[in-house]
Amino acid sequence: MKIKVPEALTESHVKIDGEKGRAWSAGLPALAERYLEEWALRLDEGRPMHGVVSLVLPVVREDGTRAALKLQPVTDENATEAPGLRTWAGKGSVLLLDEDPETGTLLLERLDSARPLSAVPDDVEALTILTELLGRLTAFPAPPGMRRLGDIAKDMLADVDKAATALPREADRYWLRWCADTVAELVGEPGDRLLHWDLHYDNVLAAEREPWLAIDPKPLAGDPGFDLWPALDNRWEAVVATGDPVRGVLRRFDLMVDVLGLDPARAAGWTLGRLLQNALWDVEDGETELNETGLVIGEAMRHRQ
């Protein structure tokens, strides 16, 4: 079976890394063949999946076990994926079956890619499932070698003054500095839990071993409050449909804080840390105004500080 690289994946790599990204994408078939041979795998029927940087191929191991071969370049974000998965050892997350740290290639338990949590229509049911998974994941202390939220937060604070000069609207500059002041109050106690960092509804898949399992983590060590953001801004249309987006965000936030047993003020503060992080990334990418959805979430957090 010939391995084809999705055009959208190649385009993503070119956007991120120019011609170097195009070359990496072009080398994917050879990289896949290497691990099919080294790990005694064969391609299985089914559609390959891809995200922004990774290609995931359905495979079968020598003993007949179905698995997924994940191919990705090594980056600061995904370099901690395998250590995080090893720590969780399948407790709420997909199982890591094999890895090559040098190339970032992973062999993973096969989940049902056709049944993401985003397909569950009831917003409260889906959010409850996601939050319970998040609770299981953040129950683990982070192992040595993880990126640390404290370091990330300090780097963010160092970038605020420069970013503020790129925002012509006074209201945006106010929000940027207000979020930074909030993070500055928390940075001395950044937490030590193992965070997923990107637990949204499409990063939770149905499984045979458990009903639902988390995939595609970008692990770091920190406070669980920093992990709430993806569930607050995903499925945004459901928040808008409430007729009061701020109240809709608070309903989600309150449910998550209650299930996870978090201090609301601290969790709100670290959620504002995610707003700050996203704003800094947007400015770096050339944006001159803050994201409106993010500002609605920020306004909701005012009510919980």
Side-chain angles (χ1 to χ4, degrees):
M1 191 182 301
K2 188 175 180 180
I3 298 169
K4 295 182 179 180
V5 180
E7 185 176 335
L9 180 59
T10 298
E11 291 174 356
S12 177
H13 278 284
V14 171
K15 182 178 180 180
I16 294 169
D17 218 8
E19 290 306 307
K20 183 179 178 182
R22 189 186 303 278
W24 190 88
S25 184
L28 270 173
L31 187 66
E33 291 290 351
R34 169 185 167 183
Y35 288 99
L36 290 172
E37 181 177 350
E38 287 188 12
W39 290 344
L41 308 171
R42 62 176 174 82
L43 286 174
D44 199 5
E45 296 293 334
R47 181 175 60 88
M49 296 180 61
H50 71 88
V52 176
V53 297
S54 62
L55 177 66
V56 181
L57 303 173
V59 296
V60 179
R61 304 178 82 183
E62 202 168 24
D63 64 1
T65 304
R66 299 191 311 155
L69 180 64
K70 184 174 184 179
L71 306 159
Q72 59 190 356
V74 178
T75 67
D76 289 343
E77 285 188 2
N78 64 34
T80 57
E81 182 173 359
L85 291 175
R86 282 200 305 272
T87 299
W88 287 317
K91 297 179 178 66
S93 76
V94 64
L95 274 170
L96 176 66
L97 305 176
D98 211 336
E99 63 168 311
D100 183 352
E102 183 177 347
T103 65
T105 304
L106 306 177
L107 186 64
L108 303 168
E109 171 186 18
R110 179 97 67 89
L111 306 184
D112 189 348
S113 61
R115 292 177 57 211
L117 185 56
S118 58
V120 173
D122 184 88
D123 196 53
V124 173
E125 179 185 359
L127 180 60
T128 302
I129 291 168
L130 184 146
T131 305
E132 289 173 348
L133 274 180
L134 182 58
R136 295 175 66 190
L137 299 177
T138 57
F140 285 80
M146 287 288 119
R147 295 176 300 158
R148 308 200 72 81
L149 177 56
D151 297 331
I152 292 171
K154 289 175 184 176
D155 289 344
M156 289 194 295
L157 294 174
D159 291 339
V160 168
D161 287 343
K162 180 180 178 181
T165 65
L167 297 171
R169 298 193 310 190
E170 182 179 351
D172 287 341
R173 294 193 298 272
Y174 167 81
W175 271 105
L176 193 74
R177 295 194 183 282
W178 189 65
C179 289
D181 289 344
T182 301
V183 171
E185 294 177 0
L186 296 171
V187 71
E189 297 181 17
D192 66 351
R193 299 293 90 187
L194 182 55
L195 308 184
H196 183 287
W197 189 80
D198 196 25
L199 194 63
H200 56 74
Y201 297 99
D202 283 325
N203 273 347
V204 177
L205 298 181
E208 295 180 1
R209 182 169 56 82
E210 293 194 21
W212 301 98
L213 292 169
I215 64 167
D216 202 24
K218 307 293 186 290
L220 67 152
D223 190 291
F226 198 67
D227 248 1
L228 306 186
W229 183 277
L232 297 179
D233 78 345
N234 270 221
R235 295 169 68 141
W236 189 247
E237 67 283 355
V239 174
V240 174
T242 66
D244 186 341
V246 169
R247 181 169 293 183
V249 170
L250 287 173
R251 286 172 182 163
R252 289 183 174 186
F253 178 83
D254 291 344
L255 184 153
M256 297 186 78
V257 166
D258 183 57
V259 170
L260 295 171
L262 302 181
D263 174 70
R266 186 175 179 84
W270 279 120
T271 298
L272 290 169
R274 288 294 285 266
L275 173 55
L276 176 62
Q277 185 177 58
N278 291 340
L280 293 171
W281 284 340
D282 286 346
V283 169
E284 186 178 353
D285 289 341
E287 297 292 335
T288 58
E289 295 182 357
L290 297 190
N291 177 273
E292 290 301 320
T293 296
L295 293 180
V296 171
I297 296 174
E299 185 61 39
M301 293 305 101
R302 284 180 183 271
H303 296 270
R304 294 295 179 267
Q305 282 195 292

